[in-house]
Amino acid sequence: MLLPRHHIQRILKLTGLAVLLSASASHASQVRVEVEGDHIDLRDNARIFVGEVEGRSADGLRRYASTAIAQVEQAIRALGYYNPVITFEVTENADGLAELVLTVVPGEPVRIRSRSVLIEGPGSEDPALVDQIPKEPAEGDVLHHGRYNTLRQAIQNRARRLGYFDGEFVTRRLEVDPSENHADITMHYRTGERYRLGAVTFLEGHGFDEGLLNQFVTFDPGIPFHADEVAKLNGDLSNSGYFSGVDIDASPNRAEDGVIPVDIGLTPRPPRSVGAGVGFSTDVGPRFRGNWREHYTNSMGHRRGADTELSELRQNVSGWYELPLDPPMTDSIRLGTGYQREDIEDVESERLTLGQQWRHQLDTGWMQVLSIRWEGERFKIGEDERGNSSLLLPGLSYSKLQANSPLDPSRGYRLQLDVTGAHRAIISDADILHVNVLARGLYTLADNHRFLTRFNFGGVATNSFSDVPPSLRFFAGGDQSVRGYGYETLSPRDDNGVAVGGRFQLVGGVEYQYEFVRNWRVAAFVDKGNAVNDVFDRLATGAGLGIRWVSPVGPLRLDLAKGLDEEFGGGWRIHFSMGPEL
């Protein structure tokens, strides 16, 4: 016996309704549903369909039993059980409260005997559509009306996402034979012609140069429609920093001969903003940060800004001017200048910087930065070593960040390579080659178990290390280095015990985190590293426990660490820091 089409449609609608209802409504005060066997999903769905029943007498519950049985039948049919045996019993407690108990023997489920899903028309040759059709429900599976609905909706949504806006189901049929416990699925979808994206028009009133805006458009007119192209354009414009509102109209209703014009309305953001904040870390203590931004200085999208950071150990101020390149989402030229003063451990320094950076994203996703900067530094190390340096430092940097979330990723990695150098023949007081390599990795297992690893190697090659200023020497220890040791206290020392900085830096660490409550994690870690003059010199080790809170502004970290090497100044230390894991 095949069920009528309208009967199946009713089950599908009820399935959707059951999913939307809150589980809190599943415990009826006077009706209890029990399902024999390991069928928690059937029991929960049946209780949701029945809902709450209150204020009925024993006779009233007996009269209500047929209605409740019909509701339970509908509920478990939605999950593929069409031949249940349902009995009921009305009992009265000592306090006079009656209860209707429904006992369900679900029987054998209906299974899918055949599945015919066919894409017809021009889209039948499109792997982006055909290969993305869900594999469930498959032949042999227990019939689940919700999954049948999901299959139908997935075909429709995917086709529209790819521009097959005239697509329709030629056949869409679910036939159920409860007497034989089998079902047949037939879905034949005709796509129609695929629409195309037309020319992009920026509506008037934005105040920006058309040449700049056209550089945000990464597709050519006439390409096959794909919703991802429109979404990417929207995201690039929204993230540019120029606009407070982006409205893209690429509606198929406006298409002519299958070509959809793309009209974009832009609302410029206020041109200037000022920001300020306070923070704290055990490396530098309390600190104040401030910035001023002019998000666009002219119609070509040039911008400029200034930043400052003030703490007990470090004070700096910097300014920059940036010119967008093509594409402006990733490429730019930045001119900058800055002044920084530091007084950390045994080192005092003042540094003035002037420079330029050219940022360019490669097709591989790596960010390439070519730079050249002049640095003038006046420094004092301990009581005996004083110096002034003037260096012209061309540099090359490659970096790549892959993460599934910018604020609190569960997996990803960061890789970075920085190379700079100076030569006495070109406005420099020393011959220097400076290299720094950074690698970080993050992986989450079973949702709650997070594993982090990091490695940092740095080296400086020179024929006169005494001419290398402190900013280009290596110091280790602290929140972001080897925990259990003071900030930048790990370093080679002179005869007076003064930390003078090393030629090399090797730092690594592993950390395990367990999320015991949402956004709260406990951590255990081991760090190892040092700043040394020989890569085979002994490294310091630190280990400890910590707690992590994923706040709305980013992860906060509090660690209790023990430096295991007393000769390097190890001991118990508390470390506090904030910022992304990668």
Side-chain angles (χ1 to χ4, degrees), residues 197-235:
L197 284 168
V200 175
T201 301
F202 291 94
L203 305 180
E204 294 182 358
H206 51 73
F208 285 85
D209 184 79
E210 289 285 336
L212 170 67
L213 298 180
N214 287 329
Q215 291 173 356
F216 284 93
V217 183
T218 57
F219 59 83
D220 296 322
I223 70 165
F225 180 93
H226 198 305
D228 288 355
E229 292 286 353
V230 179
K232 181 179 183 302
L233 177 56
N234 186 299

Side-chain angles (χ1 to χ4, degrees), residues 403-414:
N404 60 352
S405 169
L407 185 64
D408 182 41
S410 60
R411 66 181 63 89
Y413 63 88
R414 176 190 290 275

